[in-house]
Amino acid sequence: MKDIDAIAALQDPVRRRLYEYVVSQGREVGRNEAAEAAGVARTLAAHHLERLTEAGLLESGSRRLTGRSGPGAGRPAKVYTRARGERAVSLPARDYRTAAELLAEAAEQAGLDAGLCAAARRRGEALRGSAAPCGGLEEAMAMLAARGYEPHLEGAAGIQDAEGAKGATGEATPVVRMRNCPFHAVAERFPPLVCGMNLALLEGLFGTDGPVRARMDARPGECCVVVESSKNNIR
């Protein structure tokens, strides 16, 4: 299916709510859970989830949601996760990805890492403007969400995403992790260069002398940068 057709599948408001809920969880989501989150009947949720799968926006599988196996464990349930492919529409057609990859390749070969990071830090400062350095993790999460990073808070008090949903975790101190890297396609080819640029951008955006700091802490499937409180508190 063409990208424009896939994106058009999100025009339905119920379908969009279901999609946004599934991708915000960072794990497999069953039909009952998705239906409850979207405030619709299970049968309607199942219909829209299948449409999203057909459009290539979600991937589906099956597993037992009870956590048990063997006789009496129940039948496997349908579960959904975000599709791994990217979707983009540009009218007229543009190819910024190729340009970004060529520039990254040239910068890497020329050893321009430091210059790129300096430029990224200046851009982050420009995005922040005249505002003071970020005041805390909640403010940082709002800024990250606005830029497409899909942040979620992990820490002793649980996991909290930008919408306020919580869950359990074993981390000892609060840290903001991000389920999406806006530079993912280029970062896959040039990880040291682009991840360093990303860190510098966020250092400029948040400031380096306030209560929030960004640092490298790569984890599979997530952005390579995390954000934490330099004062070990949330606000």
Side-chain angles (χ1 to χ4, degrees), residues 153-161 164-175 234:
L153 181 66
E154 294 187 1
I159 301 174
Q160 179 177 332
D161 61 22
K166 291 186 178 180
T169 181
E171 295 215 16
T173 58
V175 60
I234 296 179

Side-chain angles (χ1 to χ4, degrees), residues 105-130:
E105 182 178 356
E108 187 174 75
Q109 291 179 353
L112 299 178
D113 304 55
L116 177 62
C117 287
R121 194 169 289 107
R122 290 194 298 271
R123 175 58 64 91
E125 292 169 352
L127 291 171
R128 175 160 52 94
S130 59

